Amino acid sequence: MSRDEGPNVPDERLTAVLRPVRAGNGFEEALEQILQVVRLGLVPGGERLPAERELAEQLGISRVTLREVLRVLQDQGLVESRRGRYGGTFVLARADAGGEDELRRRVAAVDIEDVLRFREVLEVGAAGLCAAHRLDAERGARLREALRRTHEAPLGDYRRLDTLLHLTLAELCGSPSLTAQYAAVRAQVNELLDCIPLLVRNLEHSQRQHTALVEAVLDGDADGARNIAREHCAGTAALLRGFLA
C-alpha cells in the first residue's frame, strides 16, 4: 500500500468503492465507504489502508474528518493504528468467535431474495453495457488482469479476488451510480457467502463462467455477456438458498 512519504497514486482495488462524498454528510458517507472496503475484503486483514492523504483526497474530505472516521473503525475493532516508519492504519482480521451461528445471526434480518435479485439486475446490466460499448485496450487489460488474479488465487483469498473481478466489471460499465449500488449489494452478498463453505467444484465452475463472461464482454457480445452473468448469479443464488433457506 502507499505511504505518506511516497507518490500519491490511488489504490486501483478501491476506485470502484471510494468516491467523493456529498457536502453535508461527509463523515457519515466516508464511514460508509470505508466500511464497504473492509466488509468487501478489498484490503485483507493484516494489510494497511491507503495513506491518510490519499484516502482524504479520494473521499473529498479533510484529514481531520478522516481521522474521526478511522477512530470509529478502531473503536469497533475493525482497524488498528500503528506508529513508526512502517505504521499506518491496518485492517484487523475478522474474528471467528461464534462461527457460523454468529454469522447467521448477523444476516438474519437480510431479505435474501431481494439482495440476490438486485445483484442479478446490476451484474447482468453491467456485463451488457461493457460488451455493448466495447472496452478500449486499457480497460480490457484491466478486466483481463482481474480475471487472471482469480485464476491464480489461493483458496483463502478467492472470494476477495472474485469480488474485485465483479467490481471491476461494474466500474468499467461507465455508470458510477450502478457501480456504487453494486458495491453496496456485493457487500451484502459477501456477508451471506461468509455463512457457507467454499466448495472447490463450485469455484471451478465459477471460474469457467468468469472466463466465458470476460471473453463475451471483450468480443462485444452483449447478449452472451448478459446470459452468462445471469447464469453465474443463478448459481450463487442456488447455493445460498440451499445453505441458508
Side-chain angles (χ1 to χ4, degrees):
M1 310 295 289
S2 61
R3 301 190 179 105
D4 279 325
E5 67 271 22
N8 194 24
V9 178
D11 188 326
E12 192 174 90
R13 296 177 297 178
L14 311 185
T15 57
V17 175
L18 299 182
R19 59 199 178 277
V21 301
R22 292 169 295 183
N25 293 312
F27 171 79
E28 291 82 2
E29 292 191 15
L31 178 59
E32 177 187 19
Q33 290 186 42
I34 298 179
L35 275 170
Q36 281 188 355
V37 167
V38 174
R39 290 171 62 204
L40 288 166
L42 300 184
V43 178
E47 287 195 15
R48 187 171 64 174
L49 289 172
E52 285 186 4
R53 178 180 58 187
E54 179 184 328
L55 276 177
E57 288 183 2
Q58 285 186 272
L59 293 165
I61 59 175
S62 70
R63 291 176 71 169
V64 172
T65 300
L66 176 63
R67 286 168 185 157
E68 293 176 352
V69 169
L70 296 177
R71 191 175 300 117
V72 170
L73 297 178
Q74 186 166 331
D75 290 344
Q76 295 300 309
L78 298 174
V79 303
E80 69 175 4
S81 178
R82 302 178 191 171
R83 296 183 180 276
R85 182 178 179 184
Y86 299 105
T89 302
F90 289 78
V91 175
L92 295 175
R94 295 179 65 169
D96 292 327
E100 184 176 314
D101 288 342
E102 173 62 22
L103 286 168
R104 285 178 181 274
R105 282 193 292 273
R106 288 169 54 194
V107 301
V110 174
D111 185 335
I112 295 177
E113 290 301 322
D114 180 59
V115 170
L116 295 177
R117 287 173 185 148
F118 192 38
R119 181 227 180 168
E120 179 181 332
V121 168
L122 295 176
E123 288 213 17
V124 170
L129 284 170
C130 283
H133 294 293
R134 304 297 291 260
L135 300 182
D136 59 24
E138 180 181 353
R139 294 187 299 162
R142 280 190 60 195
L143 187 58
R144 289 190 188 93
E145 176 61 15
L147 176 64
R148 183 192 66 78
R149 290 175 182 171
T150 64
H151 283 300
E152 297 179 357
L155 193 61
D157 211 24
Y158 180 81
R159 278 185 180 154
R160 180 176 69 86
L161 294 173
D162 171 61
T163 296
L164 280 170
L165 171 62
H166 288 280
L167 278 171
T168 298
L169 188 65
E171 183 183 5
L172 293 176
C173 81
S175 170
S177 296
L178 187 152
T179 303
Q181 291 294 321
Y182 181 73
V185 79
R186 180 68 195 214
Q188 291 183 294
V189 169
N190 283 4
E191 292 275 0
L192 297 172
L193 288 172
D194 280 342
C195 293
I196 70 174
L198 281 168
L199 304 177
V200 173
R201 182 170 180 178
N202 171 251
L203 299 188
E204 292 172 345
H205 182 220
S206 291
Q207 280 302 94
R208 290 194 295 271
Q209 290 177 327
H210 286 158
T211 300
L213 175 59
V214 169
E215 288 176 352
V217 167
L218 296 177
D219 287 343
D221 180 3
D223 287 339
R226 284 190 288 263
N227 288 335
I228 296 166
R230 188 175 293 108
E231 180 180 314
H232 181 64
C233 290
T236 302
L239 278 181
L240 289 171
R241 292 185 185 112
F243 279 102
L244 302 179

